[in-house]
């Protein structure tokens, strides 16, 4: 019997009508898992994703996923440190760079860092906002990687501008890193090459910025809340705890205790639960930004003047509510789904209004490019705030100037 006849006979005896498909494990399975996990963690946060979620997204079983990673934490850790390492390696200069002028060396470092950031955009979100959920030794390693990136930016910047003080170099290098990595904070899109050009052009005026002299921190207006205003006190204490520990690590009992309430049940007289407190805080932050647009436009003599006013108000509001500004970036995925839709619409409209004004000042920008710059300017405020808190080197006047430089490509007109 021929081979073909034997195959026909076997099909007849087994009932098979076609050869069985042999499913082979992809050679790049770990890379697929890393990409899927980065997207999931970036969208829902470390605590909002399970191994089952990642496996389902890949179309594999949880058992298959556990063959590659023993736990969710192992996957999370590997992805963060992989990208941290890639960022660190990107700012290392080749040997021949020793003969380059300072400007070329800094441009090489920036271009390489921009390329790595664009390539790893979903995981950059984790590096920026979820790294605090790493175990202490791993967090130290990630922080060391980020310090190495800042160190490379700072050393090249100091070579180019030796007149800078150490504090000024620290501010400007953080502004550069913030501008580049801000693309992880939103979902606006641009082709990779166009985005790289935009980020590079946004970094150039930062490099040459002449910062005003350091001055004592401007007074921040903090409104005292009477003990009888329990709903306001609960909101403030909740935001402070979310900022300090992260939303998943705060309980209703913690919030009640911080607000001086005798029992967690007292919270439910004012809010439906922890997520309701978070949503209320987010609405307040979003409305603060959106509510400023109309009056600024109505009273300003030009689009640039309106944007300058909005920048002033944004910085003042963010300094007055630092914890809320930080929580707005880190905990959005924990807001109830129906509230997220409303908040996204408010934020989108606010960004669109800022972008419309910016394009009137800089008509060469496309709508997408303007949106990227708006998000970069917003990110500056929170990044400089968490890096330097209320130190004179990061005074409001300096943060305002850097926002202007990112948006206008220069300081605002007087």
């Amino acid at each position: 019997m021929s081979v073909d006849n034997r195959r026909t006979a076997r099909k007849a005896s087994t009932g098979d009508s076609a050869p069985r498909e042999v499913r082979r494990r992809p050679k790049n399975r770990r890379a697929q898992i890393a990409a899927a996990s980065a997207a999931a963690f970036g969208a829902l946060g470390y605590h909002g994703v399970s191994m089952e979620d990642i496996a389902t997204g890949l179309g594999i079983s949880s058992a298959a996923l556990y063959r590659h990673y023993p736990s969710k934490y192992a996957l999370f850790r590997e992805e963060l440190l992989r990208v941290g390492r890639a960022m660190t390696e990107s700012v290392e200069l080749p040997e021949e760079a020793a003969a380059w002028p300072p400007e070329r060396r800094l441009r090489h470092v920036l271009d390489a860092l921009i390329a790595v950031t664009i390539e790893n955009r979903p995981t950059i979100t984790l590096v920026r906002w979820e790294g605090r959920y790493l175990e202490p030794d791993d967090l130290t390693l990630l922080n060391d990687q980020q310090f190495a990136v800042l160190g490379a930016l700072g050393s090249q910047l100091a070579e180019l501008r030796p007149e800078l003080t150490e504090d000024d170099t620290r501010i400007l290098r953080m502004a550069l890193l913030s501008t580049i990595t801000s693309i992880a904070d939103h979902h606006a899109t641009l082709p990779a090459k166009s985005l790289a050009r935009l980020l590079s052009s946004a970094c150039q005026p930062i490099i040459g910025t002449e910062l005003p002299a350091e001055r004592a921190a401007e007074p921040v207006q903090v409104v005292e809340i009477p003990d009888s205003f329990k709903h306001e006190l609960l909101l403030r204490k909740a935001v402070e705890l979310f900022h300090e520990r992260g939303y998943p690590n705060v309980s209703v009992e913690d919030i009640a205790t911080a607000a001086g309430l005798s029992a967690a049940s007292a919270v439910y007289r004012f809010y439906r639960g922890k997520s309701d407190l978070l949503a209320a805080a987010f609405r307040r932050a979003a409305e603060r930004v959106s509510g400023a647009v109309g009056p600024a436009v109505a009273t300003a003599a030009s689009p640039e003047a309106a944007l300058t006013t909005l920048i002033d108000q944004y910085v003042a509001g963010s300094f007055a509510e630092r914890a809320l500004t930080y929580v707005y970036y880190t905990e959005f995925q924990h807001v109830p789904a129906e509230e997220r839709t409303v908040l996204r619409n408010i934020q989108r409209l606010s960004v669109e209004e800022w972008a419309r004004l910016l394009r009137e000042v800089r008509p060469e920008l496309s709508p997408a490019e303007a949106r990227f710059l708006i998000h970069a300017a917003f990110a500056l405020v929170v990044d400089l705030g968490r890096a330097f808190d209320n130190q004179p080197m990061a005074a409001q006047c300096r943060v305002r100037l850097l926002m202007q430089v990112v948006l206008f490509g220069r300081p605002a007109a007087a």
Side-chain angles (χ1 to χ4, degrees):
M1 184 182 288
S2 69
V3 172
D4 287 342
N5 288 339
R6 286 198 298 271
R7 287 175 178 167
T8 301
R10 184 170 66 248
K11 290 176 186 177
S13 64
T14 62
D16 292 341
S17 60
R20 291 182 179 178
E21 180 183 356
V22 178
R23 298 188 65 182
R24 292 183 174 86
R25 188 181 304 166
K27 293 181 179 179
N28 65 337
R29 175 63 82 196
R30 283 182 70 89
Q32 290 179 344
I33 293 172
S37 65
F41 288 139
L44 299 174
Y46 173 65
H47 290 88
V49 177
S50 67
M51 291 289 270
E52 289 71 21
D53 294 332
I54 297 170
T56 300
L58 288 165
I60 63 176
S61 67
S62 297
L65 185 57
Y66 280 108
R67 279 199 293 269
H68 294 277
Y69 294 94
S71 67
K72 182 178 78 168
Y73 180 80
L75 178 53
F76 177 69
R77 173 193 182 277
E78 180 172 309
E79 185 61 10
L80 263 71
L81 297 183
R82 177 192 69 79
V83 171
R85 185 167 59 252
M87 294 175 73
T88 303
E89 292 171 352
S90 74
V91 297
E92 296 175 355
L93 288 168
E95 291 184 6
E96 61 268 25
W100 296 350
E103 183 179 3
R104 182 180 176 187
R105 288 200 297 271
L106 178 55
R107 186 170 64 250
H108 178 92
V109 167
L110 288 171
D111 288 345
L113 182 59
I114 287 169
V116 166
T117 301
I118 293 173
E119 181 181 355
N120 294 280
R121 188 176 178 182
T123 306
I124 298 295
T125 302
L126 306 183
V127 173
R128 281 175 64 74
W129 307 116
E130 297 285 298
R132 60 178 165 171
Y133 297 121
L134 288 170
E135 294 177 359
D137 288 347
D138 295 331
L139 180 57
T140 297
L141 180 54
L142 180 66
N143 287 338
D144 288 345
Q145 292 170 337
Q146 293 300 289
F147 288 143
V149 173
L150 287 169
L153 290 172
S155 63
Q156 298 308 319
L157 185 60
E159 287 286 331
L160 180 63
R161 297 188 59 190
E163 79 281 5
L164 290 173
T165 66
E166 182 178 350
D167 284 352
D168 288 357
T169 301
R170 292 175 64 195
I171 290 291
L172 294 180
R173 73 183 188 182
M174 177 56 72
L176 290 170
L177 182 60
S178 176
T179 297
I180 294 169
T181 59
S182 67
I183 66 171
D185 298 344
H186 57 92
H187 301 291
T189 58
L190 272 174
K193 290 184 178 179
S194 299
L195 179 53
R197 285 194 297 269
L198 178 68
L199 293 176
S200 179
S201 66
C203 287
Q204 293 310 308
I206 295 174
I207 293 170
T209 297
E210 297 291 341
L211 292 168
E214 292 186 21
R215 63 181 66 173
E218 299 171 40
V220 174
Q221 298 294 326
V222 178
V223 178
E224 293 297 326
I225 301 175
D227 289 342
S228 58
F229 281 31
K230 290 299 183 185
H231 63 294
E232 283 292 324
L233 189 60
L234 282 166
L235 190 58
R236 174 175 293 182
K237 294 302 181 182
V239 168
E240 290 173 355
L241 289 171
F242 297 155
H243 174 239
E244 178 184 346
R245 305 180 192 174
Y247 177 85
N249 298 325
V250 176
S251 67
V252 174
E253 289 77 8
D254 295 331
I255 298 169
T257 300
L261 299 180
S262 57
S265 58
V267 175
Y268 299 109
R269 293 167 53 196
F270 306 98
Y271 298 96
R272 291 189 296 271
K274 187 173 73 165
S275 63
D276 196 34
L277 276 159
L278 185 65
F282 272 57
R283 284 194 299 272
R284 180 160 299 181
E287 289 165 359
R288 184 189 73 205
V289 177
S290 65
V293 175
V297 172
T299 58
S302 67
E304 182 168 336
L307 263 182
T308 303
T309 298
L310 288 174
I311 289 169
D312 293 349
Q313 293 176 350
Y314 187 86
V315 172
S318 298
F319 270 61
E321 297 183 288
R322 281 195 186 278
L324 177 56
T325 302
Y326 182 80
V327 168
Y328 193 84
Y329 276 82
T330 57
E331 309 295 352
F332 190 81
Q333 66 274 12
H334 297 296
V335 175
E338 64 276 10
E339 289 285 349
R340 284 203 300 269
T341 301
V342 173
L343 288 166
R344 282 198 180 99
N345 287 335
I346 295 173
Q347 182 190 52
R348 178 178 56 80
L349 291 173
S350 297
V351 171
E352 289 295 340
E353 282 300 306
W354 281 60
R356 181 185 63 79
L357 291 169
L358 180 58
R359 293 189 67 222
E360 292 191 35
V361 180
R362 299 181 60 184
E364 75 276 9
L365 294 173
S366 70
E369 289 171 335
R371 287 192 292 271
F372 270 91
L373 292 181
I374 298 301
H375 284 293
F378 288 168
L380 265 177
V381 182
V382 68
D383 287 340
L384 291 175
R386 63 176 173 159
F388 304 106
D389 196 19
N390 214 27
Q391 298 179 45
M393 72 172 76
Q396 292 188 41
C397 61
R398 291 179 152 215
V399 177
R400 288 194 296 265
L401 174 61
L402 287 168
M403 284 190 76
Q404 294 169 10
V405 168
V406 168
L407 294 178
F408 303 138
R410 53 168 173 76

